[in-house]
Amino acid sequence: MADHSEARSDQTDGDTRIDCNPKAGDVKILLVDDDVQHLESMRALLSMQGYPVDVAEGGRAAIDHLGRQAYDLMLLDLRMPGVDGLDVLRFVRACKIDLVTVVVSGQNSADDVTDALHHGADDYLKKPYQPDELLARVGNALQKQALASSNRQMRRRLERSERLHRLIVNNSPDIVFVLDQQGSFRFLNPRVTSLTGHDRRSLLGQPFLNLVKLDDHDKARYFIEQALNPRSEMRSAELQFTGSGEEGSRYFEVAVWPTPTAGQGMDGGEEDVPLIYGTARDITDRKESEAFINFQAYHDLLTRLPNRALFKDRVEVAIAHASRNNAHLAVLFIDLDRFKVINDSLGHTMGDRLLQMVAARLQNCIRKGDTLARFGGDEFTLLLTELPDADSAIQAANKIQESLKEAFVVGDHELVVGASIGIAVYPEGGDNLDALIRNADIAMYGEKVVSRNGVRVFLPEMGPTPQRLEMEQDLRRALQRDEFKLLFQPQVDSSTNRIMGVEALVRWQHPQRGLLGPDEFVPLAEDTRLIVQLDRSSLRKAAREVRAMQRHGHPGLRLSVNLSPILVQRDDFVKSVLSTLQECDFPPELLDLEITESLLMSDTDGTVRKLKALADTGIRIAIDDFGTGYSCMAYLQKLPVHTLKIDRSFTRAIGNGKMNSIEETSIVDAIVAMGLGLRMNLIAEGVETALQQDYLSRVGCKLMQGFLFGRPMPLQDLHGLKLPKSAPS
Ligand code: C2E
Ligand code: CA
Ligand code: CA
């Protein structure tokens, strides 16, 4: 029983069986006496009972036996020569040998017995004794020994199991805690420090709420109340814990379960009150990815604005609110003008950055409760709530227009984008979500086809069919039926008063609406890409007409044609221009292609290569509306540009008596000086007065175009044209 039972108790933590009633054959007894006869009679008696017995003749032999083997019981004679009983007891104590010792003594002196008990003996038996008496003592002693050893085993198991649990608790990836009835921490594992940054010990004794973020206090309070209620089903909750110092707050899934009412407190003392055991698992990563997925579902990732779905949600809510309170709300449809051109010519990366910047600027224009959303491509929508009246929606739209006036700096480029804005006001402009959005869209297109950069409020007479669709269909039909014609405006050398060339300007002879200028349909044609067909057919017609004129007495007459950047971006651009010229037998050296500055912002090799290829055949490239856009001069050297057309707005400033005219004319001076310096041709646009003519000639710009010399007209009308007298040179 001695050693072997120890070994068994080590095996499993779950095995709690401990044998307290040893069988005779399981124990080992050592008999010690110097009297061989006595020794032999005890051995015979005990062996008869089935006990395995060893005998030691004298103290020295006893010590030998004890050193070699484990015994459960020793019957020890005190008086022995040499090494006596007390010496053996000292040895047992010194070597911490675990066995029960019954002293068998002939002396009946109480001192001897007391001495032996002091030295660690467990019991004594006086000689002479009855055999029954001996057996009874041995039985008792063995039972006592069995009990003691099973206690020791139990304690060892408990210690081991506690160590194991402590190890598990302390190394748990989750926070493990115990709360008392007041909801204060009685125990916390060290994980709380690594997950929240809080010192574990300073939290002990503090309310659970101290660890919870303020926003979640109500929720946490209710949760703890429920946790203490054994009938409650609520056993877990998601709570945010505060971080300490640098650490931000994190999300935890907290699970709790009440303990049975009586148990051992963590300090080892007895407890009679229920405790709450709990764990808190860090779910911040999961929450963040959920939040991101959620964000993604309702936001445009490029601009981080709400997307179409969220916008519709918000409008729906706002309508419900407005109808209850008889309030106004407005939906604004904001469409960027010419964004497509920029996107195509500068590439999508630049386009994306521009959109982000536009979004940020628009965001700055709105109030807190309003919702700005990216509806798609270059379309934004804005929901304005709690409007005092419809006019305040117009004011908001104007503010947006104003904010877009300043150029955006994207990389090396300064970009200007305008916006057309349509407004639908609830309830007049639509009493439900779809109607409001559709009508704002209709108003926006109504605005876009008339002029860019405008604001228009939807009116019921704008009709149920979106104007844009109608216009688009009209435009397609017009191309099929060829409802377009060209007018030509003379370009004059004012020093000689001779017509040097003509600019072809397109008109649409609309069956219902009469003659329409390019401003009324070119934007839509660009948005729908129908401009490609339109510009190609204009080039062909212009080349034919002017070629005929050249053949009839005006051999050197030049032709200027306007080209949309969308056309230039096409892969087949060069081929198609050249084949058209060939088809019409038009000399390339008499052709000027007018392109806009926006196209030139693109330093894509493609554009440079294409324009160079055309220039190599003798075609000249002119920059239209020069000075209005993205006055980045770098491209002038890089590209085969031959002509700068000074924009009408600069010409108009000459001599108009306005305060800023000095400033404006100094721009004209600068452009002319620069153009001459770069050995470029200069043409001033929009010359309407003799004063402007004089000024321009004086600063060195000889070529002019404008109403002073002639409006756009059918080509044959040029014959009868009377030019004003030439400017003094
Ligand atoms: P642009 O190339 O700057 O054309 C000059 C515009 O100024 C023309 O307007 C012309 O009528 C107007 N104009 C000329 N002289 C004067 C003047 O002395 N005073 C005033 N106030 N205006 C004058 P239009 O014909 O309405 O054309 C407008 C724009 O449409 C053109 O501006 C051009 O960018 C574009 N465009 C015209 N034809 C075509 C075409 O076939 N294809 C493309 N892609 N665009 C075209
Ligand atoms: Ca032009
Ligand atoms: Ca122009």
Side-chain angles (χ1 to χ4, degrees), residues 338 485-487 489 503-507 517-522 526 531 534-535 538-539 561-565 567 594 596 624-625 645 647-648 651-652 685-689 692 705-712:
R338 295 203 169 260
K485 63 172 189 178
L486 292 174
L487 296 182
Q489 186 176 35
E503 178 179 359
L505 295 160
V506 70
R507 298 290 180 268
D519 288 342
E520 288 183 83
F521 57 84
V522 165
E526 282 184 336
I531 195 74
L534 181 61
D535 275 358
S538 295
L539 174 65
V561 177
N562 295 285
L563 290 181
S564 163
L567 194 72
E594 298 192 4
T596 58
D624 211 352
D625 308 336
K645 297 192 75 176
D647 189 65
R648 206 159 68 230
T651 309
R652 195 171 347 142
E685 297 183 311
V687 180
E688 293 182 354
T689 67
Q692 291 165 344
Q705 189 180 344
F707 294 171
L708 180 66
F709 307 99
R711 291 181 175 254

Side-chain angles (χ1 to χ4, degrees), residues 366-583:
I366 67 170
R367 295 173 310 165
K368 208 165 163 240
D370 299 337
T371 302
L372 174 70
R374 179 161 178 225
F375 211 65
D378 58 350
E379 297 165 340
F380 295 86
T381 46
L382 175 59
L383 166 67
L384 303 175
T385 54
E386 285 164 35
L387 284 183
D389 49 43
D391 274 354
S392 35
I394 299 179
Q395 279 163 26
N398 288 336
K399 198 170 153 196
I400 288 173
Q401 300 277 28
E402 198 57 40
S403 82
L404 290 177
K405 283 210 172 124
E406 197 186 315
F408 292 93
V409 182
V410 183
D412 292 341
H413 309 290
E414 284 191 17
L415 309 178
V416 181
V417 282
S420 300
I421 303 180
I423 304 174
V425 181
Y426 172 89
E428 307 85 63
D431 59 1
N432 62 66
L433 168 75
D434 289 334
L436 278 170
I437 292 177
R438 189 184 62 230
N439 292 342
D441 190 19
I442 289 170
M444 187 278 294
Y445 270 106
E447 187 52 42
K448 204 176 184 84
V449 295
V450 170
S451 70
R452 290 176 188 267
N453 294 327
V455 174
R456 183 177 286 207
V457 179
F458 175 82
L459 298 171
E461 57 267 27
M462 286 178 181
T465 32
Q467 207 164 344
R468 173 196 159 92
L469 274 183
E470 212 175 270
M471 278 287 286
E472 199 179 316
Q473 273 166 14
D474 272 10
L475 204 56
R476 285 181 199 281
R477 209 177 307 126
L479 279 165
Q480 275 161 18
R481 295 188 192 161
D482 194 16
E483 292 172 358
F484 298 95
K485 63 172 189 178
L486 292 174
L487 296 182
F488 295 85
Q489 186 176 35
Q491 296 173 331
V492 176
D493 180 339
S494 80
S495 64
T496 60
N497 227 8
R498 282 182 53 204
I499 295 176
M500 306 304 290
V502 289
E503 178 179 359
L505 295 160
V506 70
R507 298 290 180 268
W508 180 3
Q509 188 66 59
H510 194 284
Q512 282 91 41
R513 298 166 65 195
L515 196 64
L516 302 178
D519 288 342
E520 288 183 83
F521 57 84
V522 165
L524 181 61
E526 282 184 336
D527 278 349
T528 55
R529 313 254 146 181
L530 291 170
I531 195 74
V532 174
Q533 281 182 63
L534 181 61
D535 275 358
R536 278 186 185 160
S537 92
S538 295
L539 174 65
R540 179 173 299 112
K541 277 188 218 164
R544 275 209 189 107
E545 282 196 55
V546 173
R547 181 71 191 130
M549 189 86 152
Q550 288 164 350
R551 289 203 166 113
H552 291 91
H554 300 276
L557 187 68
R558 303 192 59 82
L559 167 63
S560 290
V561 177
N562 295 285
L563 290 181
S564 163
I566 288 174
L567 194 72
V568 181
Q569 294 299 326
R570 290 179 59 98
D571 288 342
D572 60 357
F573 168 64
V574 174
K575 210 177 105 199
S576 106
V577 169
L578 294 181
S579 74
T580 305
L581 292 189
Q582 208 164 23
E583 186 190 316

Side-chain angles (χ1 to χ4, degrees), residues 179-180 182-186 188 201-211:
L179 301 180
D180 63 19
Q182 281 67 49
S184 295
F185 287 110
R186 294 296 308 272
L188 269 163
R201 261 156 312 173
S202 64
L203 284 171
L204 288 173
Q206 297 290 313
F208 176 73
L209 279 188
N210 281 12
L211 191 58

